[in-house]
Amino acid sequence: KVITAQKSASLLVPYEAVQQDNDGQEYVLLLEENLAVRRTVQTGSELDDSLEIVEGVTQQDLLLLSPNTTVEGAFIQYELAGSDPAGT
């Protein structure tokens, strides 16, 4: 086994969470105060089923995993497992 690179604390997201605009800028949609908010990201390594985010989001951010079905600025009502519904 040969290790060619090693990174710690990488943030990996599914490919479908990262979108690209007409100018080639990569972005994700986040949930902030019950609204879908666009955030520009810088991607890194590509894996079989995920993409590394090296800049633009943190592990505490709530990413929308189906941004193709969500409009930026849309109101999102959500429920975290084991909690009351948010945004009501």
Side-chain angles (χ1 to χ4, degrees):
K1 182 176 180 181
V2 176
I3 299 174
T4 58
Q6 186 172 4
K7 296 182 181 182
S8 61
S10 292
L11 180 60
L12 302 175
V13 300
Y15 277 104
E16 58 270 13
V18 179
Q19 301 298 303
Q20 194 173 61
D21 65 18
N22 292 336
D23 296 324
Q25 188 75 45
E26 293 177 309
Y27 67 93
V28 296
L29 290 179
L30 303 176
L31 184 63
E32 289 184 359
E33 298 182 13
N34 294 90
L35 296 176
V37 177
R38 178 181 163 147
R39 176 91 53 88
T40 301
V41 294
Q42 180 180 352
T43 58
S45 299
E46 296 183 22
L47 304 172
D48 289 339
D49 59 352
S50 58
L51 192 58
E52 178 188 27
I53 303 290
V54 296
E55 188 176 306
V57 295
T58 68
Q59 291 182 351
Q60 288 74 34
D61 289 324
L62 295 175
L63 268 64
L64 299 175
L65 298 181
S66 299
N68 288 332
T69 61
T70 305
V71 176
E72 182 180 359
F75 179 81
I76 308 283
Q77 184 172 338
Y78 67 98
E79 183 176 340
L80 297 175
S83 68
D84 292 328
T88 57

